[in-house]
């Protein structure tokens, strides 16, 4: 099989080539392609039987994908235009051959992640589960502004879908975060520690607890400030 390009939800898979063999109830798949300027490989050697309800598991590997390509790939990602960095992913994609539905589970790593050319994180790791309804990020582990962010996010993909988030922030420096706005702000120093929880829908709502330690501004010098 050789195909110039295919697309799903605006994301283009280019230079697709490979082989597909169906014999005696088994499916053998080997393919390579380019996606977001990264290298994509697909492999499978599965016993699918002779039933239309059979499921086909595919092993997917993506490395060195460019995050800055997301904004131009689909209107859904238009708000990510200031984002840049690279992404690697390993997952198992299971396709239902009868209903043409899928589920995916695996691990992803984002490296040298910038927003408006300011560094968000040197590395973000997560385990994920995805289907047409949502993407669920489990065990998020991110190094942000010399501190850490851990937790989970369930992000809905359907227009009226609902998700949730639960994040813990520890020892995050304020000054690097302020640079993400891309404009000059007053001199502020301090360390953020927080627990944030809420729901994701048409709006993002939540609650939490926030403490800023060693807060210093032109008008404030405090050992700790709590925001319930």
């Amino acid at each position: 099989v050789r195909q110039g390009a295919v697309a799903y939800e605006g994301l283009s898979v280019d230079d697709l080539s490979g082989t597909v063999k169906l014999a005696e109830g088994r499916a053998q798949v080997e393919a390579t392609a380019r996606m977001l300027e990264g290298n994509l490989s697909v492999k499978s050697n599965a016993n699918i039987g002779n039933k239309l309800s059979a499921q086909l598991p595919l092993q997917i590997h993506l490395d060195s994908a460019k995050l800055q390509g997301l904004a131009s790939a689909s209107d859904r990602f238009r708000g990510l235009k200031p984002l840049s960095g690279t992404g690697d992913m390993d997952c198992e994609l299971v396709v239902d051959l009868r209903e043409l539905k899928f589920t995916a589970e695996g691990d992803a790593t984002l490296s040298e992640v910038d927003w408006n050319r300011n560094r968000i994180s040197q590395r973000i790791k997560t385990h994920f589960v995805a289907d047409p309804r949502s993407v669920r990020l489990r065990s998020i582990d991110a190094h942000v502004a010399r501190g850490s962010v851990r937790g989970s996010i369930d992000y809905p993909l359907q227009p009226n879908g609902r998700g949730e988030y639960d994040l813990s922030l520890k020892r995050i420096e304020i000054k690097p975060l302020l640079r993400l706005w891309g404009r000059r702000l007053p001199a502020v120093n301090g360390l953020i520690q927080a627990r944030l929880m809420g729901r994701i829908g048409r709006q993002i709502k939540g609650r939490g607890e926030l403490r800023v330690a060693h807060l210093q501004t032109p008008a404030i010098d405090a050992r700790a400030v709590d925001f319930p």
Side-chain angles (χ1 to χ4, degrees):
V1 177
R2 187 173 296 274
Q3 176 74 36
V6 296
Y8 177 77
E9 293 290 340
L11 292 175
S12 177
V13 178
D14 304 303
D15 302 327
L16 175 63
S17 64
T19 59
V20 178
K21 296 180 181 179
L22 298 174
E24 298 180 352
R26 297 196 66 84
Q28 294 182 330
V29 179
E30 287 194 15
T32 60
R34 299 278 292 172
M35 181 176 179
L36 294 173
E37 300 184 42
N39 301 307
L40 179 69
S41 66
V42 181
K43 293 183 179 181
S44 180
N45 185 6
N47 183 359
I48 63 173
N50 297 314
K51 298 181 180 180
L52 290 177
S53 60
Q55 294 182 332
L56 175 63
L58 300 170
Q59 303 300 320
I60 310 291
H61 174 76
L62 175 67
D63 68 75
S64 303
K66 305 296 185 184
L67 302 181
Q68 49 267 45
L70 286 171
S72 58
S74 171
D75 289 342
R76 176 175 293 177
F77 305 119
R78 185 180 301 172
L80 299 179
K81 188 174 182 179
L83 180 68
S84 64
T86 60
D88 302 322
M89 177 188 72
D90 283 289
C91 77
E92 181 178 67
L93 176 70
V94 180
V95 181
D96 188 307
L97 299 178
R98 183 182 65 177
E99 299 184 6
L100 296 180
K101 294 182 178 180
F102 74 89
T103 59
E105 182 171 359
D107 298 288
T109 301
L110 307 182
S111 303
E112 299 181 344
V113 182
D114 291 351
W115 187 269
N116 281 328
R117 298 184 180 179
N118 292 298
R119 182 59 44 91
I120 297 176
S121 178
Q122 189 66 26
R123 188 194 71 221
I124 301 173
K125 291 186 175 183
T126 186
H127 184 79
F128 68 90
V129 178
D131 58 39
R133 296 172 298 176
S134 66
V135 176
R136 299 176 290 282
L137 305 181
R138 306 295 190 222
S139 305
I140 296 171
D141 183 1
H143 295 267
V144 177
R146 300 180 184 176
S148 67
V149 176
R150 292 184 172 87
S152 62
I153 299 174
D154 291 356
Y155 187 82
L157 297 178
Q158 295 181 339
N160 297 319
R162 294 185 177 183
E164 59 186 16
Y165 61 93
D166 186 345
L167 300 172
S168 295
L169 290 67
K170 293 185 178 181
R171 299 189 63 81
I172 294 179
E173 294 187 355
I174 292 178
K175 184 178 288 187
L177 291 183
L178 295 180
R179 297 195 191 106
L180 300 181
W181 272 262
R183 59 179 184 268
R184 298 183 65 180
L185 294 170
V188 179
N189 291 296
L191 298 174
I192 294 175
Q193 185 151 322
R195 175 77 182 277
L196 305 175
M197 297 169 286
R199 298 189 179 279
I200 302 172
R202 292 184 177 179
Q203 296 180 334
I204 298 177
K205 300 180 179 180
R207 64 188 189 280
E209 298 177 351
L210 171 66
R211 164 169 283 203
V212 181
H214 310 295
L215 177 62
Q216 293 180 330
T217 75
I220 300 174
D221 187 348
R223 183 174 180 179
V225 178
D226 293 322
F227 300 89

